[in-house]
Amino acid sequence: MTRECGRVYNFSAGPAVLPEEVLKIAADEMMNYQNSGMSVMEMSHRSKTYDNIIKTAEKDLRELMNIPDNYKVLFLQGGAHLQFSMVPINLLKADGTGVADYIVTGQWAKKAYSEAQKYGKINKIATSEDKTFSYIPDCSNLPISEDAEYIYICENNTIYGTKFHTLPNTKGKTLVADMSSCFLSEPVDVTKYGLIYAGVQKNVGPAGVQIVIIREDLIREDLPAWCPTMLKYKTHADNDSLYNTPPAYGIYVCGLVFKWLKKMGGLEKMKEINVKKAKILYDFLDNSKLFKGTVEKESRSLMNVPFVTGDEALDKKFIEEAAKEGLVQLKGHRTVGGMRASIYNAMPIEGVEALVEFMKKFEKENA
Ligand SMILES: *Cc1c(COP(=O)(O)O)cnc(C)c1O
């Protein structure tokens, strides 16, 4: 299979595939961004041109997600991992007696839960670890702590391929969500959350940018004295994400992706496409004699689809032969094994169809 520019179908979980249209615009604008005579990479983040880039990116994101005015949008660095720390540092009481409840549905939530321990009393109120995180637990009536300052979830579990299709009943408490791998894949009611964050390298842009959407009343000033200036949401909120040099080029590419999403028809339309794409793969898995999905049906992610043959040697052979056909990065996360196809917004439907065709052929040859 040969595609334009020798490109492959890239099923990486992240950094991941980007829309080819966006890559082409970035390439066209590389040497001379809109008559500035320079690349966005070479431009002062204090320039008028750059100010327009970051402001437009924020405006387009607000439009796509319908973000209310009482929420700040921050473009930060440090990956989702830094949010594992920033969330408890900024939301918990400064004296270390703060309380938060975590729902642990995978490695990322588990890491966030363990990091938060440093800053307060952190409870694990539900987990799906008993069945290798292959489902989302019932969160309709959890033992929410009376004094919890927030309830934490990882909304789409990139490694295990599960997604919260119903948000937990937080009993009025603030919901915080790591949306790294489902950000902008479907419409979201922002008002249901106090804080949303996402590393953009999964579904939006190049690694290095972290988007935080935070309700203004959660931006506190009374933080612990030891808290570094750079780790305060307030620092970045007060300076429109330009307190220091932001990940300027990454934000520019995110902005191009926001424009692309608008052109595609917005998040309703993206969801429709994502449902259709995922269905092709899940329908095949449900009927295959060789391949099996590893997740309970009701918990399935639209973005990350893990599957196995049940035979490690055969999994390895599949991954190798698929790569020769231009279907790459299908290896499951090192903690799970097997295969995982990440089918983010930018994965064309043709890529999923090509994968399923290849799986059919492989199944026949290895029956
Ligand atoms: C990838 C991922 C992370 C980790 O992201 P880094 O940018 O490497 O820190 C955290 N949470 C989720 C849901 C992820 O998919």
Side-chain angles (χ1 to χ4, degrees):
M1 189 184 351
T2 328
R3 297 178 57 230
E4 196 184 347
C5 301
R7 284 177 62 81
V8 291
Y9 286 123
N10 174 9
F11 295 92
S12 169
V17 60
L18 285 168
E20 288 181 1
E21 248 181 272
V22 164
L23 295 177
K24 283 179 185 161
I25 296 171
D28 281 348
E29 294 181 336
M30 181 60 79
M31 294 298 281
N32 183 354
Y33 176 77
Q34 297 188 0
N35 289 322
S36 63
M38 63 183 82
S39 158
V40 175
M41 264 184 232
E42 305 167 293
M43 194 177 281
S44 165
H45 60 292
R46 306 283 175 209
S47 65
K48 233 188 147 83
T49 311
Y50 192 75
D51 198 57
N52 190 42
I53 290 173
I54 191 168
K55 292 252 159 62
T56 306
E58 179 177 339
K59 188 174 139 286
D60 287 337
L61 180 63
R62 282 184 177 278
E63 217 173 294
L64 279 167
M65 291 183 75
N66 198 12
I67 301 173
D69 288 344
N70 64 327
Y71 285 74
K72 287 273 187 204
V73 173
L74 311 176
F75 296 101
L76 308 180
Q77 310 191 47
H81 276 77
L82 192 57
Q83 295 311 309
F84 298 168
S85 317
M86 279 179 80
V87 165
I89 290 172
N90 283 268
L91 300 192
L92 292 174
K93 267 205 244 9
D95 65 2
T97 65
V99 176
D101 291 346
Y102 278 60
I103 299 171
V104 176
T105 52
Q107 293 296 337
W108 299 128
K110 198 171 167 178
K111 259 185 138 170
Y113 166 70
S114 101
E115 182 67 19
Q117 307 288 336
K118 296 179 183 165
Y119 308 106
K121 183 174 177 330
I122 310 300
N123 307 302
K124 191 195 291 179
I125 54 166
T127 175
S128 51
E129 195 161 14
D130 60 332
K131 290 185 190 159
T132 10
F133 299 119
S134 59
Y135 68 103
I136 298 293
D138 176 4
C139 298
S140 57
N141 187 20
L142 294 173
I144 304 282
S145 308
E146 213 159 281
D147 45 357
E149 276 151 297
Y150 63 91
I151 314 300
Y152 181 99
I153 61 167
C154 177
E155 190 151 327
N156 185 80
N157 297 280
T158 327
I159 296 174
Y160 300 93
T162 61
K163 157 116 206 298
F164 279 83
H165 294 294
T166 312
L167 291 178
N169 174 3
T170 65
K171 304 183 180 172
K173 306 287 185 195
T174 297
L175 182 64
V176 172
D178 174 358
M179 275 195 201
S180 297
S181 49
C182 58
F183 195 63
L184 301 179
S185 65
E186 56 183 280
V188 165
D189 181 353
V190 176
T191 64
K192 293 208 155 72
Y193 304 80
L195 189 154
I196 291 169
Y197 72 85
V200 305
Q201 77 270 27
K202 304 293 161 67
N203 200 25
V204 185
V209 183
Q210 193 64 216
I211 294 175
V212 173
I213 301 168
I214 181 171
R215 211 176 59 221
E216 279 168 355
D217 61 282
L218 295 172
I219 302 174
R220 302 171 45 159
E221 303 195 28
D222 58 327
L223 293 179
W226 51 259
C227 180
T229 307
M230 280 294 288
L231 298 194
K232 299 177 180 176
Y233 290 130
K234 183 158 177 31
T235 302
H236 303 286
D238 286 351
N239 292 281
D240 297 327
S241 305
L242 290 165
Y243 173 71
N244 71 322
T245 316
Y249 192 78
I251 295 169
Y252 153 73
V253 178
C254 289
L256 295 179
V257 172
F258 301 156
K259 289 260 184 259
W260 176 78
L261 287 168
K262 283 173 70 177
K263 204 174 128 203
M264 291 290 285
L267 301 190
E268 288 288 349
K269 186 67 191 172
M270 282 322 295
K271 180 176 187 179
E272 202 183 299
I273 298 170
N274 286 328
V275 166
K276 193 165 151 195
K277 264 177 359 198
K279 189 173 182 320
I280 295 171
L281 192 44
Y282 284 125
D283 281 353
F284 171 72
L285 288 171
D286 288 342
N287 293 299
S288 169
K289 290 198 173 59
L290 180 63
F291 298 100
K292 262 181 287 304
T294 57
V295 168
E296 279 187 9
K297 279 189 187 177
E298 310 71 53
S299 303
R300 283 170 166 175
S301 165
L302 291 178
M303 296 282 100
N304 311 97
V305 184
F307 57 94
V308 295
T309 63
D311 173 342
E312 265 179 51
L314 205 53
D315 287 351
K316 190 162 174 278
K317 184 177 174 205
F318 174 81
I319 293 161
E320 282 168 11
E321 290 187 5
K324 286 188 197 135
E325 295 295 315
L327 306 163
V328 312
Q329 308 222 51
L330 280 162
K331 200 169 186 294
H333 190 268
R334 58 197 152 80
T335 59
V336 190
M339 283 73 74
R340 171 179 48 175
S342 294
I343 49 175
Y344 296 119
N345 284 344
M347 171 59 66
I349 200 155
E350 292 79 14
V352 181
E353 286 166 351
L355 174 62
V356 168
E357 278 316 301
F358 177 74
M359 288 168 82
K360 282 182 187 159
K361 178 166 157 272
F362 188 88
E363 179 169 328
K364 215 177 270 166
E365 289 169 1
N366 294 276

